Amino acid sequence: MALFGLITWQVVADGPLVRLDERVGDSLFRRGPAALTQLFSDLGGVPVALPVLVCAMAYALWRGARRLPVYAALTMAAVPALVIPLKVATARQGPLTEAVNYYPSGHTATAAVAYGASALLLLAVDRPAWLRAWMPPAAAVLLTAVTGVGLVLHGYHWPLDVLASWCLGPVLLAPLWWVSRWRRSGPRATR
């Protein structure tokens, strides 16, 4: 959270970190195959990330969990509730555009929470042989990282926009992680 606070302060104050961010971003934009960076960027969009979470929630319900999918939905709802006011308050101009409200990256935050919550749900309700304990978290981290990289390389976001959302993801997921962890080790009543 401290890193997120530092980044936000620099964005609001137009500090030296922002100038460095813009130089780095300018050197990265439009690198790599456009179709691939677009695909990576799209992984954080609601039309892609939300169905993944909905499937994980449905699976958790099917496996008998009742409260965890609700907590996951509330966690996902926290993303726009937090990100949109931050975008408006900072009014940061995006790269390659005159438009504002680019900080923090909503696509990156959406990816972090949707894929992270999906991993937590899968781990909380099931551990069959095909679902190793490391697979869902590794997939969530990979999908979130790839989303952020795609957003920067395609020129949709500055690197600090993405880094800030990477910082927000674990903070937003922490309550769900705690509840899902307690469910795995606690009484069955927490379903």
Side-chain angles (χ1 to χ4, degrees):
M1 209 50 208
L3 181 57
F4 176 78
L6 171 69
I7 295 168
T8 303
W9 167 61
Q10 286 291 292
V11 167
V12 170
D14 197 27
L17 215 65
V18 170
R19 289 186 288 286
L20 174 64
D21 181 47
E22 290 172 354
R23 282 194 306 274
V24 170
D26 284 338
S27 71
L28 294 174
F29 298 151
R30 297 193 173 129
R31 298 273 179 153
L36 187 60
T37 59
Q38 181 65 56
L39 173 70
F40 289 170
S41 300
D42 289 344
L43 291 173
V46 170
V48 177
L50 195 56
V52 171
L53 178 58
V54 168
C55 288
M57 291 166 55
Y59 182 73
L61 283 168
W62 180 68
R63 296 291 296 164
R66 300 291 176 252
R67 292 184 186 158
L68 282 178
V70 172
Y71 296 144
L74 290 172
T75 302
M76 192 70 235
V79 172
L82 181 62
V83 169
I84 291 171
L86 282 167
K87 285 179 174 287
V88 172
T90 58
R92 185 175 194 197
Q93 184 175 336
L96 313 177
T97 181
E98 296 295 317
V100 294
N101 299 341
Y102 278 76
Y103 176 87
S105 167
H107 276 68
T108 305
T110 297
V113 170
Y115 302 132
S118 296
L120 291 172
L121 287 171
L122 291 175
L123 290 175
V125 300
D126 207 2
R127 287 217 173 172
W130 63 269
L131 184 64
R132 302 282 183 234
W134 58 269
M135 285 176 61
V141 168
L142 178 66
L143 289 169
T144 303
V146 164
T147 298
V149 168
L151 289 165
V152 170
L153 293 180
H154 206 77
Y156 289 135
H157 276 287
W158 299 106
L160 283 181
D161 302 346
V162 168
L163 180 58
S165 290
W166 283 342
C167 293
L168 278 179
V171 172
L172 290 169
L173 288 167
L176 180 61
W177 172 80
W178 186 82
V179 171
S180 68
R181 189 169 161 83
W182 189 77
R183 182 190 188 280
R184 285 193 306 262
S185 62
R188 305 282 277 168
T190 59
R191 289 183 162 203

